[in-house]
Amino acid sequence: MRKTVIFGPLVVLVLLGAQTATRGWSAETKIKITKLTVQPSSIVLSAQGEERHVLVTGEAADGNRIDLTSDARFEPLGDGVRVDAAGFLYPLKEGETKVRVSAGGHTAELIAKVGPLGHAASLSFLRDVAPLLNRAGCTAGACHGAAKGKNGFKLSLRGYDPEFDYNALLYEVSGRRINRAAAEQSLMLAKPTQSVPHEGGLQIKPGSRYYKTILSWISEGAQFGDPGKDAVVKLEVLPQEIFMARPGMKQHVLVTAYYADGSLRDVTREAVIKSNSATTAKVADDLVEGERMGEANLMVRYQGKFVTVPVTILNPEPGFGWKQLAQHNYIDEQVDKKLKRLKIQPSPVADDTVFLRRVYLDLIGLPPTPEEARTFLENPEKSRLSRGRLIDQLMNRNEFVDHWALKWGDLLQSNRKYLGEKGTWAFRQWIRDSIASNKPYDEMVRELVTATGSTYQNPAANFFRVNDDPKVAMQNTTQIFMGVRMVCAQCHDHPFEKWTQTQYYQLAAFFAAVGVRPGFDSDEQIVYLKREENQLKHPKTGRIVDPEYLVASAGAPPIPDAGDRRKALAEWLTSDNNPFFARAIVNRIWSYFFGRGIIEPVDDIRASNPPVNEALLQALAKDFIEHDYDLEHVIRTIVNSRAYQTGIATNKWNETDATNFSHFMPRRLPAETLFDAISIATGSAPEFPEVPSGFTAQQLPDPHVGKGGFLDMFGRPERESACECERRNNMTLPQAMNLVNGPTLAEAIADPDGRVATLILAGEPDRRLIDELYLATLSRFPTNSEYDDALTYLQKGPGRASRAQDMLWALINSNAFLFNR
């Protein structure tokens, strides 16, 4: 009866990419084009040497859009501009010139306006040179942007601090790279061109555009520039969305920078354009190529500004016809809206047997007992109404509180390593009481962020036993309650977001006055406001940093000059107008039911990591706010949706979809749920040290209990990080071997008071025995073929009890048991 169980990690399909490459693919021109468009339809050239290019798009008879930029011919109808072989336009003469654009058998018109052409502006480090260093990779973490630089020369990571980089190049004694007397001999040119040995290899070719720009800048006096004029204030990327009818199609992108002085520049060749899924869409310079059906996002970065561009590649199979399934609530409406657009047909809802086990595991962290499964499955009413009643019943159980208290205990790092044993139990009870009373989420967060006093008398104050440093308190507060990871901005401006190092310390300053000292009772701690040393200094300037909100929002309370400034922070944090607060928690809760967030990772919300369904996330956040931050309402809405109740079986339209919730994705049971599921399946009650008899794994107060055993092997978090990633739900060979030969499962199955022994001693007939084992493990009755196989095995000969144990072992080791499906 024992069969090999194959454990395979679930492969999550992701998204796409872009960058500058060789132009030209004639295959697309074979498609019948009905219309030609140019973006932008007009350009302005206002300086000598300025260059601009445009995107040329053909619209096919079937409505699909084809990028024809590489095949387009540009014919100026006047002498105001010239066009080079790469399609870039340059000013020649003041005035307005029409340019005829031809491609795909059609023509379109481009207006080129040339302003007064004075002398070309002097080159500056800010506007002209820093972008080249970033594009060439000089400021990358693998090069001179490393924490300690390379070979005695250091630049800021990805050029976040251009003033530092300028001073390093011109004035740093150990790393000076500029020779104003003989510009061509400057190490800034000699190193990357390998005129002298350079460990980083050839980065800039002699005589190239980059080389000439740097040489001219040095020759002109190596000016830094004026931040009031040369700073980039906005980045624009065209097209704003890339939509490909099938894999193999290509699309150029155009990147324009807008400066503080009101000017703009085509920076496509200097921008860094990357895909978050090169297997779906690859990028070469400014060219995106669809590799396979799916979605991706381009991250376009230039001088500290970021823009993301969604990329969609449709299924090329013909014959798609949308079949509308029942929509249970607004979640299904938003999911379906995107699926229909992507030509992805969702799977129908799962049957009652699948739904029963799934909703038990997700709501209360336990599978149904055989008695509970039998009651639901034998109910003659097979409707959504009965599912809704089951959901309400489960959410009213104590196990619901246990399950969600476990999740919040992980996030808030409820661990005796930080809190002591008594503090851990007190904090656990506060979390449980908050969940049991369905305390509004904003109220719960305010209590944590503003907590003071004894960690025994006010258990919420334990939040600051874990976060007893202003920087740590800020990092965990933003990551847990806003889904924003600020840790990257501690040493430098965030490399993938707009957050700066200054903002990091401004936000941390809200917690600067919080102190923790010993109390009167053993291991008691008191959270209080310090009267001295209650200010935070910026590590770069040495100046005291005043607290400031991360983003401005309407109605934000004024920040007091003294006293407990956390109260103002808490009001801003939990405000309806905070763009992160509601989105972060509904996204996190969504991930508990679907195995991934609408934004993934759930605690890494940033412009360069957009949601896979923005409309869905907005709808969830709006509904959450309108229901006064009711966590139970969000949970109930999600599990009642068709999207949650859908089956795992796929069709040819959704078989590769892993991000749009068109079918359910199996997930390995979390460590505590798996342990408790084994206990229910085997009927063997576990005994944990240091806790009352009868405690389940998910009721344990912290990872200290049962440390080093089954729970840790299967990914229980140590609760030493606020990151969801600390919990591991993958499947490994040691885990598989533990289930095959480990003591936990073997002892539970052989328990003389366990399920098999009880059924055998009660003289239950074979039919009853087989039914009970299936109900106890898979929460369903066996199929006819499964029953026949099991019956044949049981009746092979003597040793009925041993054979029944083997059956139970095999069922527990099946993927149907180990995964929530």
Side-chain angles (χ1 to χ4, degrees):
M1 189 69 181
R2 296 194 177 187
K3 299 178 181 178
T4 302
V5 180
I6 300 175
F7 302 96
L10 299 177
V11 179
V12 178
L13 306 178
V14 210
L15 310 144
L16 188 56
Q19 259 182 321
T20 317
T22 306
R23 297 176 179 268
W25 61 90
S26 57
E28 303 299 350
T29 61
K30 297 177 182 179
I31 299 172
K32 180 66 175 177
I33 300 300
T34 60
K35 182 181 178 182
L36 200 68
T37 58
V38 178
Q39 284 184 288
S41 58
S42 65
I43 60 173
V44 176
L45 298 162
S46 55
Q48 291 183 8
E50 184 179 0
E51 61 180 29
R52 296 288 302 276
H53 81 295
V54 296
L55 299 180
V56 182
T57 305
E59 187 172 313
D62 59 3
N64 289 317
R65 297 172 65 82
I66 314 297
D67 183 11
L68 299 176
T69 305
S70 296
D71 297 300
R73 291 188 302 109
F74 297 83
E75 181 185 357
L77 303 179
D79 56 0
V81 296
R82 69 177 179 88
V83 184
D84 68 10
F88 282 85
L89 287 87
Y90 299 85
L92 292 177
K93 180 180 176 183
E94 182 180 342
E96 183 174 294
T97 302
K98 293 180 180 179
V99 180
R100 181 184 293 129
V101 183
S102 305
H106 291 263
T107 62
E109 199 171 80
L110 168 68
I111 303 298
K113 300 176 182 178
V114 179
L117 295 177
H119 293 292
S122 298
L123 298 174
S124 73
F125 181 79
L126 269 178
R127 188 179 294 226
D128 302 286
V129 177
L132 305 187
L133 300 181
N134 295 335
R135 185 67 176 83
C138 303
T139 59
C143 198
H144 297 293
K148 296 182 180 180
K150 289 285 184 181
N151 295 328
F153 182 59
K154 175 174 171 53
L155 297 171
S156 65
L157 182 63
R158 294 183 176 87
Y160 84 91
D161 190 343
E163 186 176 354
F164 173 89
D165 297 340
Y166 179 78
N167 289 329
L169 286 164
L170 269 71
Y171 305 118
E172 184 65 39
V173 175
S174 62
R176 190 168 49 203
R177 266 23 184 199
I178 299 296
N179 186 338
R180 301 190 200 200
E184 66 279 354
Q185 297 179 17
S186 298
L187 282 179
M188 187 177 178
L189 288 171
K191 284 275 189 177
T193 58
Q194 287 196 306
S195 298
V196 298
H198 182 226
E199 188 175 313
L202 180 66
Q203 297 297 327
I204 297 176
K205 293 182 180 180
S208 66
R209 208 164 53 87
Y210 283 14
Y211 181 92
K212 292 177 180 177
T213 298
I214 296 174
L215 179 62
S216 297
W217 171 68
I218 298 173
S219 301
E220 292 176 7
Q223 298 300 310
F224 177 70
D226 182 356
K229 296 179 180 180
D230 296 329
V232 177
V233 295
K234 187 180 77 170
L235 204 62
E236 179 183 76
V237 180
L238 294 175
Q240 296 178 342
E241 180 180 20
I242 298 175
F243 210 76
M244 298 181 180
R246 62 186 178 281
M249 295 182 69
K250 302 177 184 181
Q251 174 67 57
H252 285 93
V253 296
L254 189 154
V255 186
T256 305
Y258 291 79
Y259 293 88
D261 63 359
S263 63
L264 57 86
R265 176 182 289 185
D266 185 332
V267 296
T268 306
R269 294 196 276 196
E270 283 67 59
V272 176
I273 310 171
K274 292 188 176 181
S275 165
N276 67 345
S277 177
T279 58
T280 307
K282 66 180 180 181
V283 180
D285 296 327
D286 68 335
L287 183 63
V288 185
E289 181 174 359
E291 291 288 286
R292 65 178 182 184
M293 184 185 76
E295 293 179 280
N297 281 280
L298 305 182
M299 185 180 77
V300 183
R301 175 166 51 86
Y302 183 80
Q303 292 303 95
K305 301 299 180 183
F306 302 87
V307 174
T308 56
V309 178
V311 183
T312 303
I313 306 169
L314 297 183
N315 190 335
E317 290 287 334
F320 175 80
W322 175 260
K323 297 179 180 64
Q324 184 62 60
L325 302 179
Q327 295 178 334
H328 298 175
N329 53 35
Y330 68 83
I331 288 176
D332 300 326
E333 294 173 4
Q334 297 299 339
V335 169
D336 285 354
K337 188 179 297 184
K338 184 175 183 186
L339 293 179
K340 186 175 182 180
R341 178 171 176 264
L342 299 182
K343 296 184 179 180
I344 298 175
Q345 179 63 41
S347 299
V349 295
D351 62 30
D352 282 350
T353 59
V354 172
F355 171 76
L356 173 69
R357 186 170 189 269
R358 181 189 299 174
V359 78
Y360 262 79
L361 292 170
D362 282 339
L363 284 182
I364 67 172
L366 302 171
T369 64
E371 295 77 16
E372 291 169 338
R374 187 185 296 273
T375 299
F376 182 81
L377 297 176
E378 291 180 344
N379 184 346
E381 184 183 3
K382 304 294 186 182
S383 68
R384 234 188 89 239
L385 186 60
S386 64
R387 293 189 179 193
R389 283 203 300 266
L390 175 62
I391 290 167
D392 291 339
Q393 291 169 6
L394 291 174
M395 293 181 67
N396 285 325
R397 288 175 54 163
N398 289 331
E399 292 92 337
F400 175 84
V401 178
D402 295 333
H403 183 58
W404 292 89
L406 173 69
K407 294 182 181 297
W408 279 105
D410 291 346
L411 286 176
L412 298 176
Q413 301 172 69
S414 181
N415 185 348
R416 70 190 64 193
K417 174 180 178 179
Y418 303 119
L419 313 182
E421 183 175 0
K422 186 175 179 180
T424 298
W425 283 100
F427 200 26
R428 173 184 180 272
Q429 190 59 47
W430 180 86
I431 294 171
R432 284 181 54 81
D433 290 344
S434 298
I435 295 169
S437 64
N438 194 26
K439 183 182 294 181
Y441 179 63
D442 58 335
E443 180 182 336
M444 178 180 172
V445 173
R446 284 195 295 271
E447 289 182 19
L448 287 166
V449 173
T450 63
T452 55
S454 166
T455 54
Y456 291 166
Q457 297 174 18
N458 179 19
N462 281 287
F463 183 71
F464 289 101
R465 288 195 69 174
V466 177
N467 305 293
D468 57 356
D469 176 89
K471 293 182 290 185
V472 175
M474 182 275 292
Q475 289 171 189
N476 285 345
T477 296
T478 53
Q479 186 164 353
I480 296 172
F481 305 126
M482 293 173 60
V484 175
R485 298 180 182 180
M486 291 295 295
V487 64
C488 287
Q490 180 176 355
C491 302
H492 50 74
D493 289 359
H494 200 297
F496 305 116
E497 249 297 359
K498 59 185 177 182
W499 316 132
T500 65
Q501 185 183 31
T502 297
Q503 286 178 298
Y504 176 97
Y505 285 92
Q506 286 174 334
L507 205 55
F510 281 101
F511 300 98
V514 178
V516 181
R517 61 175 174 78
F520 295 103
D521 290 343
S522 175
D523 207 25
E524 178 189 28
Q525 296 287 305
I526 306 296
V527 177
Y528 70 103
L529 295 180
K530 296 182 290 186
R531 295 183 179 179
E532 298 178 353
E533 298 181 6
N534 59 359
Q535 295 174 317
L536 205 62
K537 293 183 178 180
H538 197 294
K540 183 178 177 181
T541 65
R543 296 178 179 176
I544 293 173
V545 180
D546 293 324
E548 188 57 65
Y549 302 126
L550 188 61
V551 292
S553 59
I559 302 171
D561 294 331
D564 193 352
R565 295 184 284 194
R566 294 176 303 163
K567 293 180 180 179
L569 174 68
E571 289 302 316
W572 167 82
L573 175 65
T574 60
S575 166
D576 295 356
N577 297 317
N578 186 319
F580 296 98
F581 185 64
R583 287 166 64 93
I585 186 59
V586 297
N587 182 59
R588 190 185 294 273
I589 292 175
W590 180 274
S591 74
Y592 294 147
F593 293 100
F594 289 87
R596 61 153 292 137
I598 303 170
I599 297 175
E600 183 68 22
V602 296
D603 49 13
D604 193 13
I605 297 176
R606 47 187 162 83
S608 53
N609 183 32
V612 296
N613 192 325
E614 172 62 30
L616 173 61
L617 186 57
Q618 282 187 7
L620 282 164
K622 180 174 180 290
D623 186 40
F624 182 49
I625 293 172
E626 289 176 350
H627 283 82
D628 299 322
Y629 299 94
D630 186 337
L631 291 172
E632 287 190 6
H633 172 76
V634 176
I635 293 171
R636 186 175 286 106
T637 302
I638 291 174
V639 295
N640 272 295
S641 69
R642 188 208 70 229
Y644 172 74
Q645 296 182 19
T646 192
I648 65 170
T650 60
N651 53 60
K652 80 171 189 174
W653 304 106
N654 73 354
E655 59 188 0
T656 61
D657 174 46
T659 58
N660 290 293
F661 318 111
S662 63
H663 60 94
F664 197 80
M665 301 291 290
R667 295 175 273 118
R668 203 215 76 198
L669 302 187
E672 297 87 347
T673 297
L674 178 58
F675 189 95
D676 290 338
I678 290 174
S679 297
I680 289 175
T682 60
S684 177
E687 290 293 334
F688 294 104
E690 306 177 46
V691 296
S693 178
F695 257 46
T696 63
Q698 69 176 0
Q699 289 178 311
L700 299 179
D702 73 339
H704 173 80
V705 183
K707 188 173 180 62
F710 181 95
L711 295 172
D712 292 339
M713 173 174 286
F714 280 84
R716 176 175 64 172
E718 292 287 336
R719 292 188 174 178
E720 296 182 1
S721 168
C723 182
E724 287 280 0
C725 59
E726 194 182 23
R727 178 174 290 277
R728 304 178 313 280
N729 285 337
N730 60 327
M731 203 71 197
T732 65
L733 182 59
Q735 293 171 351
M737 295 304 296
N738 183 276
L739 289 171
V740 172
N741 298 311
T744 301
L745 180 55
E747 292 172 4
I749 290 176
D751 187 344
D753 296 321
R755 187 171 304 283
V756 171
T758 301
L759 291 170
I760 295 295
L761 290 175
E764 295 289 355
D766 290 343
R767 178 79 219 193
R768 176 75 177 183
L769 175 60
I770 296 169
D771 282 351
E772 286 296 303
L773 294 183
Y774 269 83
L775 288 169
T777 53
L778 307 186
S779 307
R780 64 172 175 82
F781 292 104
T783 64
N784 290 336
S785 62
E786 288 171 339
Y787 175 73
D788 291 341
D789 290 343
L791 185 62
T792 300
Y793 183 75
L794 275 179
Q795 295 179 348
K796 270 190 174 181
R800 182 169 180 260
S802 177
R803 291 181 183 278
Q805 288 178 348
D806 282 350
M807 284 177 54
L808 182 56
W809 178 93
L811 287 168
I812 291 175
N813 272 279
S814 69
N815 283 344
F817 178 86
L818 297 171
F819 285 79
N820 185 347
R821 300 158 64 89

